[in-house]
Amino acid sequence: MSLLIYAESADGKFKKVAFELASYAKKVAQSLGTTVTAVTFNAENVSELSSYGVDKVLKVTNEKLANFNAKAYADVIKQAAQKEGSKVIVLSSTTDSLYLAPLVTVGLNAGFVSNVVGLPISTTPFQVKRTAFSNKAFNITEINTDVKVLCIGKNSYGVFENATSVSEEDFSPSLNDADFNVKVESVEKATGKVTIADADVVVSGGRGLKGPENWGMLEELAAVLGAATACSKPVSDLGWRPHSEHVGQTGKPVATNLYIAVGISGAIQHIAGINSSKVKVVINTDAEAPFFKVADYGIVGDAFDIVPRLTQKLAAFKAQNS
């Protein structure tokens, strides 16, 4: 009756969320008196998971599953849960996991809670805390079903080492050919950059930057901070930046440790998508911009003056402390 997690990976390497999920699951498993099993898809060094509390790994290696397929992945996770007798399945809140979580839930006739931001308040009954109303409030949700599926908010728990002795098992689930009706022709990925999905820090720009030619200063700031670059919806709509960098309620929601908004006024949809970030900083010439009402720190001024100076100061600070 092991607790089951889906440990996400890309190009064979585990994403940071996999380690956060393992850390969270280990703590929950201890309170339930059970162990943690992870299911992986074409991952390479699965023993890494043992550092964060995973006791057993079900290794799925199949070329048909090289690219994410929500229906097929959900079916495999369902079979893994049934094999292990898992009553609690823990997923992350990445785009992929939020896509397949409802499919897993239906397949297991389970109860489902998204946006979980802490360890269970109680296990009898099973109650968890989650965000609600576009991250403006919290509620306590009770799950009464026998099987429970939880999606954990990114950076809501953290990564903690808890070394265990892990066993590895090759897992060959049955695959439904009907799940592969959509054919992936190609996958294009950005290289050499921190992705929004894995970033702890995001530097985001809006129309206040006046044009795509001015994005270099944001990229320089991001490089110093080890951050990902992002943008508001109007910027991606104008074609200044790719849609893959659009963050917000209608783009990619982020829950980073630090979110820096440069030249973004703060539309409701944008705020809703970044509100889970722990520290929000805004740089804008308009002191009345809505973003200042939700920001932890605000700078009223010209981004073309402030950002280069901020980058210079941060680079000097890093050099002194390296």
Side-chain angles (χ1 to χ4, degrees), residues 59-81:
K59 299 187 298 180
V60 179
T61 306
N62 192 311
E63 274 301 310
K64 293 181 73 174
L65 298 169
N67 293 305
F68 177 76
N69 179 315
K71 287 185 177 180
Y73 274 42
D75 193 41
V76 171
I77 293 170
K78 181 190 79 171
Q79 292 179 55

Side-chain angles (χ1 to χ4, degrees), residues 17 169 254 272:
V17 292
E169 179 182 327
V254 295

Side-chain angles (χ1 to χ4, degrees), residues 170-227:
D170 292 324
F171 182 45
S172 301
S174 60
L175 300 179
N176 186 348
D177 289 338
D179 292 340
F180 297 90
N181 289 333
V182 176
K183 182 180 179 182
V184 178
E185 293 287 347
S186 65
V187 177
E188 296 180 9
K189 296 182 179 180
T191 57
K193 295 171 63 177
V194 179
T195 66
I196 292 173
D198 294 329
D200 286 328
V201 180
V202 167
V203 177
S204 190
R207 281 183 295 184
L209 288 179
K210 301 179 181 179
E213 67 277 4
N214 296 318
W215 235 259
M217 68 177 185
L218 288 196
E219 292 172 338
E220 290 174 3
L221 176 59
V224 170
L225 292 171

